[in-house]
Amino acid sequence: MTIKVYRFAQYPVGNDVTLSHGYATMEFIILNKLTAVPDSEMDVDPAHVDQEGRYLGLNSINPT
């Protein structure tokens, strides 16, 4: 099973600037009033997405 994440163009105030131009679920993007980048949809393993919906990269493991 995979989930869809999308590139976003801004990061929420108070978050690490390294999240700029990161990937996240559409729910995270909408909740944080970010702007999704068109044509950036990517299917990822849910284990590589944190509880808030940010994509952590291929080498991440979600704590259980």
Side-chain angles (χ1 to χ4, degrees), residues 3-61:
I3 59 172
K4 295 190 182 308
V5 294
Y6 303 84
R7 186 179 291 271
F8 58 89
Q10 302 126 319
Y11 54 91
V13 174
N15 281 8
D16 189 335
V17 295
T18 59
L19 294 175
S20 180
H21 300 288
Y23 280 85
T25 60
M26 190 55 71
E27 291 81 8
F28 177 87
I29 292 169
I30 291 168
L31 181 67
N32 289 284
K33 299 180 178 149
L34 304 171
T35 301
V37 175
D39 303 323
S40 66
E41 181 180 293
M42 182 169 64
D43 291 323
V44 300
D45 187 315
H48 300 295
V49 176
D50 72 9
Q51 292 179 352
E52 292 182 18
R54 287 183 293 245
Y55 176 60
L56 302 171
L58 293 174
N59 297 321
S60 65
I61 297 176

